[in-house]
Amino acid sequence: GGKAKSLSVTGPRVDEVLADVHSFMEEGHRELVVLGLSHYWRGYNGSSFGESDYDQLIGMVKTQLGPWLLTQDMLPGDDGMAPAARLTGATLRDLVGNQGRVLVFLDSDQPFAYVDPDQGIWPSSVVAAGGGYANKDDLEAMRADQLHKWTTATEDRFSLSWTLTCQPGNIDCNVRDLAGKANPFLPEFIASLTIPNANGNTINEIWVDFADETDATQIAIRLNPVAIDIDVDPDRNQRHNKVSMKGSVEVALLSDARMPLDALQVDMQTVRLGPDGARAIRHKVKDVNHDGLVDLILRFEVPDSGIQCGDTVAQLTGRTFDDQGIIGRGLIQTAHCEDRKPGN
């Protein structure tokens, strides 16, 4: 309802953005679109944004994007898990599904705001990570802010915000102009970092204003592992494969023509199983799932993996020879967990 701080806030209408996303998804793209709506405002010199406006916004989102909205029942995990935990624990393949999906999140810090993951309307907190934007309009100041946040980050997830921000009172400031100053330097900044940092963290999200000259997509793919299919104890024909806590286990890395992924291009020296990072002790190649593609089977000592009695998921990580990270998760049932007698 007050005066605009900057003309940079003007841009396309919400209905135009939603229509663009609708058209993109209707074309059949098998991708995940993340759409965040915040800083609610009715327009230049408009009246205050209120409850009826929020209801209208929710209605527009459901009307335009309903067939593709990502709801919590689409995610792995059970109903006892918090929706945010199910979301952040999912792989990209889980999120995308068979037809592509849209993850919509809204700021819910207003008294009239509500969200409902069952309907595909998520709170903005689900994408929150360590880091945060610098709120500066000077490139070097923003760079120093992000570098400090990265080197000291201890959270499990880190968000790099390579954005310059118009300052109050600068009514002639334009976000696209600021993006033009910052974006060309993102690849150079990423290349200068030691990843993971001293606390073992990687960069999980990169936020930019406009994607021009950023190479953001290529950087994000490079930094974050690609989800692959694995088969734990592939000789067993069952969904929950037993893992003996006293022995070893085979894990098959499955080649996939759709991704594409050639399992034989995975560097075995980089592959680790479980939280303690067990290394493979033996390997062999075989077409495990009879799809005509050769798969890589690695054997690990379970006691070295850090897998605990009662665990239901085993995680494997590694890198390909061209340095692309991979991650795979398989369902397991632990066995031979009987308690030892004291002193033994």
Side-chain angles (χ1 to χ4, degrees):
K3 294 182 179 179
K5 293 182 178 179
S6 169
L7 295 180
S8 67
V9 295
T10 60
R13 293 165 53 94
V14 171
D15 56 358
E16 294 173 356
V17 174
L18 295 176
D20 284 345
V21 177
H22 176 100
S23 297
F24 179 81
M25 301 305 296
E26 203 169 42
E27 290 171 359
H29 299 283
R30 190 168 175 267
E31 296 189 37
L32 175 69
V33 175
V34 180
L35 177 63
L37 301 170
S38 63
H39 297 78
Y40 308 122
W41 193 48
R42 295 198 67 209
Y44 187 63
N45 284 338
S47 58
S48 297
F49 191 97
E51 184 174 357
S52 62
D53 300 300
Y54 193 81
D55 291 339
Q56 182 181 359
L57 176 61
I58 296 290
M60 293 166 61
V61 169
K62 291 182 176 180
T63 298
Q64 287 278 23
L65 306 180
W68 304 283
L69 289 177
L70 176 67
T71 60
Q72 68 167 326
D73 65 310
M74 299 175 177
L75 300 175
D78 55 52
D79 293 338
M81 294 177 62
R86 295 178 67 180
L87 181 66
T88 56
T91 66
L92 183 58
R93 183 171 296 179
D94 296 327
L95 299 174
V96 169
N98 295 323
Q99 64 170 1
R101 292 176 180 145
V102 182
L103 169 60
V104 175
F105 66 88
L106 292 87
D107 277 349
S108 53
D109 57 353
Q110 300 292 331
F112 52 75
Y114 57 90
V115 292
D116 186 358
D118 286 329
Q119 300 296 319
I121 308 297
W122 295 81
S124 58
S125 58
V126 299
V127 296
Y133 79 113
N135 194 24
K136 300 180 185 299
D137 59 3
D138 177 76
L139 176 61
E140 291 307 314
M142 182 269 287
R143 181 199 299 267
D145 173 88
Q146 293 300 296
L147 179 60
H148 173 72
K149 288 176 177 175
W150 163 246
T151 55
T152 59
T154 58
E155 297 88 348
D156 291 337
R157 296 161 56 211
F158 182 82
S159 175
L160 176 70
S161 297
W162 197 253
T163 60
L164 294 175
T165 305
C166 292
Q167 299 301 299
N170 187 1
I171 196 150
D172 294 323
C173 178
N174 184 283
V175 172
R176 183 173 284 279
D177 290 343
L178 290 180
K181 296 177 181 179
N183 288 356
F185 296 96
L186 176 61
E188 171 192 317
F189 179 76
I190 294 291
S192 71
L193 301 179
T194 300
I195 303 174
N197 69 3
N199 296 315
N201 291 31
T202 189
I203 296 174
N204 308 97
E205 303 167 8
I206 299 177
W207 295 87
V208 297
D209 286 324
F210 309 99
D212 305 345
E213 299 183 84
T214 62
D215 289 338
T217 300
Q218 292 79 3
I219 291 171
I221 291 173
R222 197 75 170 177
L223 290 179
N224 290 280
V226 172
I228 67 168
D229 285 332
I230 66 172
D231 190 351
V232 180
D233 201 2
D235 289 337
R236 287 182 178 270
N237 185 23
Q238 57 188 43
R239 185 166 179 264
H240 292 277
N241 294 309
K242 289 187 178 180
V243 173
S244 171
M245 301 304 295
K246 298 180 180 180
S248 62
V249 66
E250 287 187 335
V251 180
L253 285 65
L254 304 179
S255 296
D256 189 337
R258 296 169 303 168
M259 295 180 54
L261 173 74
D262 179 356
L264 300 188
Q265 292 303 307
V266 174
D267 183 356
M268 290 183 288
Q269 301 301 316
T270 68
V271 177
R272 303 289 185 270
L273 178 69
D276 288 350
R279 298 170 180 262
I281 56 174
R282 286 194 296 277
H283 77 278
K284 60 184 178 181
V285 296
K286 178 182 177 182
D287 183 1
V288 172
N289 51 358
H290 309 293
D291 62 354
L293 302 175
V294 177
D295 307 307
L296 177 63
I297 304 176
L298 302 177
R299 181 171 288 277
F300 301 88
E301 294 287 357
V302 176
D304 296 337
S305 70
I307 294 174
Q308 301 295 315
C309 287
D311 285 352
T312 58
V313 176
Q315 178 171 292
L316 177 145
T317 61
R319 306 196 74 83
T320 62
F321 287 115
D322 61 359
D323 204 33
Q324 172 62 60
I326 60 168
I327 184 170
R329 296 186 177 99
L331 296 174
I332 62 172
Q333 284 184 334
T334 54
H336 302 123
C337 291
E338 51 275 352
D339 294 333
R340 297 181 178 182
K341 295 181 180 179
N344 292 339

